Coordinates of all heavy atoms in Angstrom, one line a residue:
M1 N 45.9 -117.7 -12.2 CA 44.5 -117.6 -12.5 C 43.9 -116.2 -12.1 O 44.3 -115.5 -11.1 CB 43.8 -118.6 -11.4 CG 43.8 -120.1 -11.9 SD 42.6 -120.3 -13.1 CE 41.1 -120.7 -12.0
A2 N 43.0 -115.8 -13.0 CA 42.4 -114.5 -12.7 C 41.3 -114.6 -11.7 O 40.6 -115.6 -11.7 CB 41.8 -114.0 -14.0
G3 N 41.3 -113.7 -10.8 CA 40.3 -113.7 -9.7 C 39.7 -112.2 -9.5 O 40.3 -111.3 -10.0
P4 N 38.7 -112.1 -8.7 CA 38.3 -110.8 -8.5 C 39.2 -110.0 -7.7 O 39.8 -110.4 -6.7 CB 36.8 -111.1 -7.7 CG 37.0 -112.5 -7.1 CD 38.0 -113.1 -8.1
K5 N 39.3 -108.8 -8.1 CA 40.3 -107.8 -7.5 C 39.7 -107.2 -6.2 O 40.4 -106.9 -5.3 CB 40.7 -106.7 -8.6 CG 42.1 -106.2 -8.2 CD 42.7 -105.5 -9.5 CE 44.1 -106.0 -9.7 NZ 44.6 -105.5 -11.0
H6 N 38.4 -107.0 -6.2 CA 37.8 -106.3 -5.1 C 36.5 -107.1 -4.7 O 35.9 -107.7 -5.4 CB 37.4 -104.8 -5.4 CG 38.5 -104.0 -5.8 ND1 39.5 -103.5 -4.9 CD2 38.9 -103.6 -7.0 CE1 40.4 -102.8 -5.5 NE2 40.2 -102.9 -6.8
K7 N 36.1 -106.8 -3.4 CA 34.9 -107.5 -2.9 C 33.7 -106.6 -3.6 O 33.8 -105.4 -3.7 CB 34.9 -107.2 -1.4 CG 33.6 -107.7 -0.9 CD 33.5 -107.3 0.6 CE 32.1 -107.7 1.1 NZ 32.0 -107.4 2.7
V8 N 32.8 -107.5 -4.1 CA 31.6 -106.9 -4.6 C 30.6 -106.6 -3.4 O 30.3 -107.6 -2.6 CB 30.9 -107.9 -5.5 CG1 29.7 -107.2 -6.1 CG2 31.8 -108.1 -6.8
T9 N 30.4 -105.3 -3.3 CA 29.5 -105.0 -2.1 C 28.2 -105.4 -2.2 O 27.6 -105.6 -3.4 CB 29.6 -103.4 -1.7 OG1 29.1 -102.8 -3.0 CG2 31.0 -103.0 -1.6
K10 N 27.3 -105.4 -1.2 CA 25.8 -105.7 -1.2 C 25.1 -104.7 -2.1 O 24.3 -105.1 -2.9 CB 25.2 -105.4 0.2 CG 25.6 -106.6 1.2 CD 25.0 -106.4 2.5 CE 25.7 -107.1 3.6 NZ 25.3 -106.7 4.9
S11 N 25.6 -103.5 -2.0 CA 25.0 -102.5 -3.0 C 25.2 -102.8 -4.5 O 24.3 -102.7 -5.2 CB 25.6 -101.1 -2.6 OG 25.2 -100.2 -3.6
R12 N 26.4 -103.2 -4.7 CA 26.8 -103.7 -6.2 C 25.8 -104.8 -6.6 O 25.4 -104.9 -7.7 CB 28.1 -103.9 -6.4 CG 29.1 -102.7 -6.4 CD 29.1 -102.2 -7.9 NE 29.6 -100.8 -7.9 CZ 29.4 -100.0 -8.9 NH1 28.7 -100.3 -9.9 NH2 29.8 -98.7 -8.8
I13 N 25.9 -105.7 -5.7 CA 25.0 -107.0 -6.0 C 23.5 -106.6 -6.3 O 23.0 -107.0 -7.3 CB 25.1 -108.0 -4.7 CG1 26.5 -108.6 -4.8 CG2 24.1 -109.2 -5.1 CD1 26.8 -109.4 -3.6
K14 N 23.1 -105.8 -5.4 CA 21.7 -105.4 -5.5 C 21.4 -104.6 -6.8 O 20.4 -104.7 -7.5 CB 21.2 -104.5 -4.4 CG 20.9 -105.3 -3.1 CD 20.7 -104.5 -1.9 CE 20.4 -105.4 -0.8 NZ 20.3 -104.5 0.5
M15 N 22.3 -103.6 -7.2 CA 22.3 -102.9 -8.4 C 22.3 -103.8 -9.7 O 21.5 -103.6 -10.5 CB 23.5 -101.9 -8.5 CG 23.3 -100.6 -7.7 SD 24.5 -99.3 -8.1 CE 25.8 -99.8 -7.2
R16 N 23.1 -104.9 -9.6 CA 23.2 -105.8 -10.7 C 21.9 -106.5 -10.8 O 21.4 -106.8 -11.9 CB 24.3 -106.8 -10.5 CG 24.6 -107.8 -11.7 CD 25.8 -108.5 -11.6 NE 25.9 -109.4 -10.4 CZ 26.8 -109.4 -9.4 NH1 27.8 -108.5 -9.4 NH2 26.9 -110.1 -8.4
R17 N 21.4 -107.0 -9.6 CA 20.1 -107.9 -9.6 C 18.9 -107.1 -9.9 O 17.7 -107.6 -9.9 CB 20.1 -108.7 -8.3 CG 21.2 -109.8 -8.3 CD 21.1 -110.4 -7.1 NE 22.2 -111.5 -6.9 CZ 22.5 -112.2 -5.9 NH1 21.9 -112.1 -4.8 NH2 23.6 -113.0 -5.9
S18 N 19.0 -105.7 -9.9 CA 17.8 -104.9 -10.2 C 17.2 -105.2 -11.4 O 16.0 -105.0 -11.7 CB 18.1 -103.5 -10.1 OG 18.9 -103.0 -11.2
H19 N 18.0 -105.9 -12.5 CA 17.5 -106.2 -13.7 C 17.0 -107.6 -13.8 O 16.5 -108.1 -14.8 CB 18.6 -106.1 -14.8 CG 19.1 -104.6 -15.0 ND1 18.5 -103.7 -15.6 CD2 20.1 -104.0 -14.3 CE1 19.2 -102.6 -15.6 NE2 20.2 -102.8 -14.8
H20 N 17.2 -108.4 -12.8 CA 16.8 -109.8 -12.7 C 15.3 -110.0 -12.3 O 14.9 -109.8 -11.2 CB 17.7 -110.6 -11.7 CG 19.1 -110.7 -12.0 ND1 20.0 -111.5 -11.3 CD2 19.8 -110.1 -13.1 CE1 21.2 -111.5 -11.9 NE2 21.1 -110.6 -13.0
R21 N 14.6 -110.1 -13.3 CA 13.1 -110.4 -13.0 C 12.6 -111.3 -14.1 O 13.0 -111.2 -15.2 CB 12.3 -109.1 -12.8 CG 12.5 -108.2 -13.9 CD 11.5 -107.0 -13.8 NE 11.9 -105.9 -14.6 CZ 11.9 -105.7 -15.8 NH1 11.5 -106.7 -16.6 NH2 12.2 -104.6 -16.4
A22 N 11.5 -111.9 -13.8 CA 10.8 -112.8 -14.8 C 10.2 -111.9 -15.8 O 9.7 -110.9 -15.6 CB 9.7 -113.6 -14.2
A23 N 10.3 -112.3 -17.2 CA 9.7 -111.6 -18.2 C 8.2 -111.6 -18.0 O 7.6 -112.6 -17.8 CB 10.2 -112.2 -19.6
T24 N 7.6 -110.4 -18.4 CA 6.1 -110.4 -18.3 C 5.5 -111.2 -19.5 O 6.0 -111.1 -20.7 CB 5.6 -108.9 -18.3 OG1 6.3 -108.2 -19.5 CG2 5.9 -108.2 -17.0
L25 N 4.4 -112.0 -19.2 CA 3.8 -112.7 -20.3 C 2.9 -111.8 -21.0 O 2.0 -111.1 -20.3 CB 3.1 -113.9 -19.7 CG 3.9 -114.9 -18.9 CD1 3.0 -116.0 -18.1 CD2 4.9 -115.7 -19.9
T26 N 3.0 -111.8 -22.4 CA 2.2 -111.0 -23.2 C 0.9 -111.8 -23.6 O 1.1 -112.8 -24.3 CB 2.9 -110.4 -24.3 OG1 4.1 -109.9 -24.0 CG2 2.2 -109.4 -25.1
S27 N -0.3 -111.4 -23.2 CA -1.5 -112.1 -23.6 C -2.3 -111.3 -24.6 O -2.5 -110.0 -24.3 CB -2.2 -112.5 -22.3 OG -2.5 -111.4 -21.6
V28 N -2.7 -111.9 -25.6 CA -3.5 -111.3 -26.6 C -4.8 -112.0 -26.7 O -5.0 -113.1 -26.4 CB -2.8 -111.2 -27.9 CG1 -1.6 -110.1 -27.8 CG2 -2.5 -112.5 -28.5
K29 N -5.8 -111.3 -27.4 CA -7.1 -112.0 -27.7 C -6.9 -112.9 -28.9 O -6.4 -112.5 -29.9 CB -8.2 -111.0 -27.8 CG -8.9 -110.6 -26.6 CD -10.1 -109.7 -26.8 CE -10.8 -109.3 -25.5 NZ -11.8 -108.3 -25.6
C30 N -7.6 -114.1 -28.8 CA -7.6 -115.0 -30.0 C -8.5 -114.5 -31.0 O -9.6 -113.9 -30.8 CB -8.1 -116.3 -29.5 SG -8.4 -117.4 -30.9
S31 N -8.0 -114.4 -32.2 CA -8.8 -113.9 -33.4 C -10.0 -114.6 -33.8 O -10.8 -114.2 -34.4 CB -7.8 -113.7 -34.5 OG -7.3 -114.9 -35.0
K32 N -10.0 -115.9 -33.3 CA -11.0 -116.8 -33.8 C -12.2 -116.8 -32.6 O -13.3 -116.7 -33.0 CB -10.5 -118.2 -34.0 CG -11.2 -118.9 -35.1 CD -10.4 -120.0 -35.6 CE -11.0 -120.5 -37.0 NZ -10.0 -121.6 -37.6
C33 N -11.8 -117.0 -31.3 CA -12.8 -117.1 -30.4 C -12.8 -116.0 -29.4 O -13.7 -115.9 -28.5 CB -12.7 -118.5 -29.6 SG -11.2 -118.6 -28.7
G34 N -11.8 -115.2 -29.5 CA -11.8 -114.1 -28.5 C -11.3 -114.3 -27.1 O -11.2 -113.5 -26.3
E35 N -10.8 -115.6 -26.9 CA -10.3 -116.0 -25.6 C -8.9 -115.4 -25.4 O -8.2 -115.3 -26.4 CB -10.2 -117.5 -25.6 CG -10.0 -118.1 -24.1 CD -11.4 -118.1 -23.4 OE1 -12.5 -118.1 -24.0 OE2 -11.3 -117.9 -22.1
L36 N -8.5 -115.1 -24.2 CA -7.2 -114.6 -23.9 C -6.1 -115.8 -24.1 O -6.3 -116.8 -23.5 CB -7.2 -114.0 -22.5 CG -6.4 -112.8 -22.3 CD1 -7.1 -111.7 -23.1 CD2 -6.4 -112.4 -20.8
K37 N -5.1 -115.6 -24.8 CA -4.1 -116.5 -25.1 C -2.7 -115.8 -25.1 O -2.6 -114.5 -25.1 CB -4.3 -117.2 -26.4 CG -4.1 -116.4 -27.6 CD -4.1 -117.2 -28.9 CE -3.5 -116.5 -30.1 NZ -2.0 -116.3 -30.0
L38 N -1.6 -116.7 -24.9 CA -0.3 -116.1 -24.9 C -0.1 -115.7 -26.3 O -0.3 -116.4 -27.4 CB 0.6 -117.2 -24.4 CG 0.6 -117.6 -22.9 CD1 1.6 -118.7 -22.7 CD2 0.9 -116.4 -22.1
A39 N 0.7 -114.7 -26.5 CA 1.2 -114.2 -27.8 C 2.2 -115.3 -28.6 O 2.9 -115.8 -27.8 CB 1.9 -112.8 -27.8
H40 N 2.0 -115.4 -29.9 CA 2.8 -116.3 -30.6 C 2.8 -117.8 -30.2 O 3.7 -118.5 -30.2 CB 4.4 -115.8 -30.6 CG 4.6 -114.4 -30.8 ND1 5.2 -113.6 -29.9 CD2 4.2 -113.6 -31.9 CE1 5.2 -112.3 -30.4 NE2 4.6 -112.3 -31.6
S41 N 1.5 -118.0 -29.7 CA 1.3 -119.5 -29.4 C -0.1 -119.8 -29.8 O -1.0 -118.9 -29.8 CB 1.6 -119.7 -27.9 OG 0.6 -118.9 -27.1
L42 N -0.4 -121.1 -29.8 CA -1.8 -121.5 -30.2 C -2.8 -121.2 -29.1 O -2.4 -121.4 -28.0 CB -1.8 -122.9 -30.7 CG -1.9 -124.1 -29.7 CD1 -2.8 -125.2 -30.2 CD2 -0.4 -124.6 -29.5
C43 N -4.0 -121.1 -29.5 CA -5.1 -120.8 -28.6 C -5.4 -122.2 -28.0 O -5.8 -123.1 -28.6 CB -6.2 -120.2 -29.3 SG -7.7 -119.9 -28.1
L44 N -5.4 -122.1 -26.6 CA -5.8 -123.5 -25.8 C -7.4 -123.6 -25.8 O -7.8 -124.8 -25.6 CB -5.3 -123.4 -24.4 CG -3.7 -123.2 -24.4 CD1 -3.2 -123.1 -22.9 CD2 -3.1 -124.6 -24.8
A45 N -8.1 -122.6 -26.1 CA -9.4 -122.8 -26.0 C -10.1 -123.4 -27.3 O -10.9 -124.3 -27.3 CB -10.3 -121.3 -25.8
C46 N -9.7 -122.8 -28.5 CA -10.2 -123.4 -29.7 C -9.1 -124.2 -30.6 O -9.5 -124.8 -31.5 CB -10.7 -122.3 -30.6 SG -9.6 -121.1 -31.2
G47 N -7.9 -124.1 -30.1 CA -6.8 -124.9 -30.9 C -6.4 -124.4 -32.2 O -6.0 -125.1 -33.1
S48 N -6.5 -123.0 -32.4 CA -6.2 -122.5 -33.7 C -5.0 -121.6 -33.4 O -4.6 -121.1 -32.4 CB -7.3 -121.5 -34.2 OG -7.4 -120.5 -33.5
Y49 N -4.1 -121.4 -34.7 CA -3.0 -120.6 -34.6 C -2.9 -119.8 -35.9 O -3.0 -120.5 -36.9 CB -1.8 -121.4 -34.3 CG -0.6 -120.6 -34.3 CD1 -0.2 -119.8 -33.1 CD2 0.4 -120.4 -35.3 CE1 1.0 -118.9 -33.2 CE2 1.5 -119.7 -35.3 CZ 1.7 -118.8 -34.1 OH 2.8 -118.0 -34.3
N50 N -2.9 -118.6 -35.8 CA -2.8 -117.7 -37.0 C -3.9 -118.0 -37.9 O -3.7 -118.1 -39.1 CB -1.4 -117.9 -37.7 CG -0.9 -116.8 -38.3 OD1 -1.5 -115.6 -38.1 ND2 0.2 -116.8 -39.1
G51 N -5.1 -118.1 -37.4 CA -6.3 -118.3 -38.2 C -6.5 -119.7 -38.8 O -7.3 -119.9 -39.6
R52 N -5.6 -120.5 -38.3 CA -5.6 -121.9 -38.8 C -5.8 -122.9 -37.7 O -5.4 -122.8 -36.6 CB -4.1 -122.2 -39.4 CG -4.0 -123.5 -40.3 CD -2.8 -123.3 -41.2 NE -1.6 -123.3 -40.3 CZ -0.9 -124.2 -39.7 NH1 -1.2 -125.5 -40.0 NH2 0.1 -123.9 -39.1
Q53 N -6.7 -123.9 -38.1 CA -6.9 -125.0 -37.0 C -5.7 -125.9 -36.9 O -5.4 -126.6 -37.8 CB -8.3 -125.8 -37.5 CG -8.9 -126.5 -36.3 CD -9.5 -125.4 -35.4 OE1 -9.9 -124.4 -35.6 NE2 -9.6 -126.0 -34.1
V54 N -5.2 -126.0 -35.7 CA -4.0 -126.8 -35.5 C -4.5 -128.2 -34.8 O -4.0 -129.2 -35.2 CB -3.0 -126.1 -34.7 CG1 -1.7 -127.0 -34.5 CG2 -2.7 -124.8 -35.4
I55 N -5.2 -128.1 -33.8 CA -5.7 -129.1 -33.1 C -7.1 -129.6 -33.6 O -8.0 -128.8 -33.6 CB -5.7 -129.0 -31.6 CG1 -4.3 -128.6 -31.1 CG2 -6.2 -130.2 -30.8 CD1 -4.2 -128.1 -29.5
K56 N -7.2 -130.9 -34.0 CA -8.4 -131.3 -34.7 C -9.6 -131.5 -33.7 O -10.7 -131.3 -33.9 CB -8.2 -132.5 -35.6 CG -7.5 -132.2 -36.9 CD -7.6 -133.4 -37.7 CE -6.9 -133.2 -39.1 NZ -5.8 -134.0 -39.4
G57 N -9.2 -132.0 -32.5 CA -10.2 -132.3 -31.6 C -11.0 -131.1 -30.9 O -12.1 -131.3 -30.6
K58 N -10.4 -130.0 -31.0 CA -11.0 -128.8 -30.5 C -12.1 -128.4 -31.4 O -12.0 -128.4 -32.7 CB -10.0 -127.7 -30.4 CG -8.8 -128.0 -29.3 CD -9.3 -127.7 -27.9 CE -8.2 -128.0 -27.0 NZ -8.4 -127.7 -25.6
T59 N -13.1 -127.8 -30.9 CA -14.2 -127.3 -31.6 C -13.9 -125.9 -32.2 O -13.4 -125.1 -31.5 CB -15.6 -127.3 -30.7 OG1 -15.3 -126.6 -29.7 CG2 -16.2 -128.5 -30.5
E60 N -14.4 -125.8 -33.4 CA -14.2 -124.5 -34.1 C -15.3 -123.5 -33.8 O -16.6 -123.9 -33.9 CB -14.3 -124.7 -35.6 CG -13.3 -123.8 -36.3 CD -13.2 -124.0 -37.7 OE1 -12.7 -125.2 -38.0 OE2 -13.2 -123.1 -38.5
V61 N -15.0 -122.4 -33.3 CA -16.0 -121.3 -32.8 C -16.2 -120.4 -34.0 O -15.2 -119.8 -34.5 CB -15.6 -120.6 -31.6 CG1 -16.6 -119.7 -31.1 CG2 -15.4 -121.6 -30.5
Ligands
ZN101 ZN1 -9.3 -119.3 -29.7

């Protein structure tokens, strides 16, 4: 069985984990109502996506 040849030091662990972080959420303004929304997702304020009404119940602004 293959195993680790050397002990991974605290320093090495920290260096590796320096890249471990949550991805930053990209928010853009909705083209329809101007509300802040997540990129590549439908607007929760007016229910539109890519200039198209997706959720019928939401009011069109
Ligand atoms: Zn909107």
Side-chain angles (χ1 to χ4, degrees):
M1 277 284 274
K5 210 158 218 172
H6 299 284
K7 175 188 175 175
V8 179
T9 62
K10 286 179 200 169
S11 173
R12 280 276 161 202
I13 291 168
K14 281 174 184 174
M15 279 196 275
R16 182 169 66 236
R17 289 180 186 173
S18 70
H19 298 277
H20 294 186
R21 54 173 161 66
T24 49
L25 296 172
T26 311
S27 54
V28 293
K29 270 187 182 172
C30 174
S31 57
K32 216 160 198 180
C33 68
E35 197 76 26
L36 222 59
K37 70 171 195 71
L38 293 176
H40 315 117
S41 63
L42 79 141
C43 176
L44 294 171
C46 68
S48 75
Y49 180 74
N50 211 9
R52 193 165 53 90
Q53 198 70 24
V54 181
I55 300 172
K56 281 191 178 125
K58 297 273 183 183
T59 50
E60 209 168 315
V61 181

